[in-house]
Amino acid sequence: MINLTINGKALQAKEGSTILQAARENNIYIPTLCYDEAVEVYGACGLCVVEAEGIPKLLRSCSAKVSEGMVINTESERVIQSRKIALELLMSAHDGDCIAPCQLNCPARTDCQGYVGLIANGKYDEALKLIKNKIALPASIGRVCPHPCEKGCRRANVEEPINIAQLKAFAADLDLKSDSYIPEKSAPTGKKVSIIGGGPAGLTAAFYLAILGHEVIVYDMMEKMGGMLRYGIPQYRLPKEVLDKEIAIIEKTGVKMVNGKKLGVDFTIESLRAESDAVIVAIGAWQSSSMRTPGEELEGVYGGIDFLRGVIQGKPADIGEKVAICGGGNTAMDACRTAVRLGAKEVYVVYRRTRNEMPADKLEIDEAEEEGVIYKFLTNPISFNGENGKVKSITLQVMELGEPDASGRRRPVPVEGKTEEIAVDSVIMAIGQKLVADDAKGLDLTDRGNIKADEDTFETNLEGVFAIGDATNNGASIAIEAIGEADRCSKVVDAYLNGESFETRVPYISKRDEDRIDYSAKEKQSRITAKVLPADIRNKNFDEVSLGLTEEEAKAEASRCLECGCREYYKCKLLDVAQRYDINPQRFKGEMPQKYTQDENAFIERNTAKCILCGLCVRSCREVMNLSSIGLLGRGFTSNIAPAFNLPLGETNCTNCGLCVSLCPTGALTEKANLKKQVPLDEKYEERKVEINGKEASVLVSTYGDDILRVIPNDEVSRNSGLSRDELFKLCLK
């Protein structure tokens, strides 16, 4: 035995062992992507380097042997810098998406590709469970979310993005019609969290904290929970019966809900701090923003949020027959469509830019027009004119588009001397909303008058008090933004309650070069949207407009997904190492030497764009299986791994044994799943013993629910059995 020291730990190793073997036997981590005990040492990745006292150069631990008295450091600054450079070089030539753009574009980081793929396979319960990992109110959000995920969907480069939002609502609605899914709760922690505000942010935080085992109580000033989902979104978009069912599910997790209690009147932040281990402030933004337009004080001029809340509470304002709505966002759309349903004969939307620049959802814009709303584009109110204290008309400044502003949209500028006037009975200002400052006493505010909260940890100036949602930092945003913050905040608060620190570093992920993606071979398929009530019927009532997707429509729409995200994400060794270090592959960015390939093979898919040339597949095929079905082609930067003469893998002597797949440290070689559509599941392979030709054999099996996704032969008997993959599947099913 050899005596040596690794990272200050004295240990022994067998003579002839490598440093890597000695470290592994003593549970000391050294990264490597090209080493496996089944094949000869190759030393391709350069990640296993370590520093040894008295030796000037770094050693590759996979090949360097231990010696008596050796002192090794596996994490010195010099070692880390070397690994970072190696990783940056590998990643600079790795053209793959760890996570699909739709998920990256979702503020809640919902696994859109995952649940869309599950719906395509008819796995609706599993899809709902995946959604509920991030969204506690999926049926409600599926109806009202302006779906930023779809703005990142690459299917738009073929024809139209996937209808992700309505697919979410489809899966959630099925759940509400059955025994609704409630995640298993952790054991009680004895910790108590008080949440102020029962809107989407507060309810989401409550849901996840309750699941983590904490006692949670939510206080809200309104008569019912739901916040802006209830009081700011009309019934025809979000039936409150749906919202009530989802809130009831949250309540079943043990969350206590107290309504009709207002901060600063019935309790204070300090009183809750005294009785709680943590407090979350999610009070929302309930005050309509002012336009600073002369005449705002006139009777008949309403704030958008105030107007909508009055209608939902059964106290609609008397708006008359001619109504002007100022604004171009979704609140403006809600206001104008509500005005139509209240019986207004002429409903105008005044917007200072053009239709193309409107931030509202296109579907809302189109449906409002179908219902009779009149758009006054490139106009801006300069005064609300009254008579006897009541608004009678609105003077509009005619605008034109100039240069782009900070938002990227062209700036509207007045056309000098050009105005118009329209007669109105009421005006609804729907240009935004803000925090009621008196509700945040004791908390530091930003220059914009919002609660100042750390953008990573949501901590405020008060110990143990966190703040999320529309009341914080940048102010009011979309509900999914608040939900995303609440999900992350629940994890921060859980760590805080456990006396732990929370990791805020954003881990590295790989993204494809958008300019290199070829969509020419993709078949064009029209986007499927849910049918809606006819305009001449829906504009007379508050019945839900959307009829929802049928099962057939949902499966067909979900099947359009391009599956951009890597399904090896959860077990990719390359990503695991890359995320341990702060790397910047962009500094080595150049022309990608490899192109995406997809072989016509029944069981193995090959994507050379993700290959890092570790050589494990080539060596295992040659050294273990004695086949040499694939090899290294070319030299230098043009080197590639492929079958001889670049033949498809199916035309070689490959036996589909799966050894190369099991050793591949990236998604360059993957086993095709036994499903119609691939989904990026957190797959875990388990060894299973089967009988083949009277002999015991070992196979690796990946399952999801009742389905076997993949089967990989795992020993000589299973690899040389001559059985097809379907026959192996049947054996495993027994």
Side-chain angles (χ1 to χ4, degrees), residues 293-332:
T293 302
E296 280 189 25
E297 75 288 350
L298 291 170
E299 182 186 346
V301 179
Y302 307 99
I305 294 302
D306 306 319
F307 166 70
L308 291 170
R309 182 167 63 246
V311 174
I312 292 165
Q313 291 179 307
K315 305 170 186 176
D318 182 8
I319 56 174
E321 296 188 346
K322 296 181 179 181
V323 184
I325 289 86
C326 303
N330 284 324
T331 300

Side-chain angles (χ1 to χ4, degrees), residues 682-694:
D682 186 0
E683 294 180 39
K684 293 180 181 177
Y685 285 90
E686 61 180 40
E687 184 181 14
R688 224 178 252 194
K689 299 294 185 181
V690 295
E691 185 177 312
I692 300 177
N693 300 328

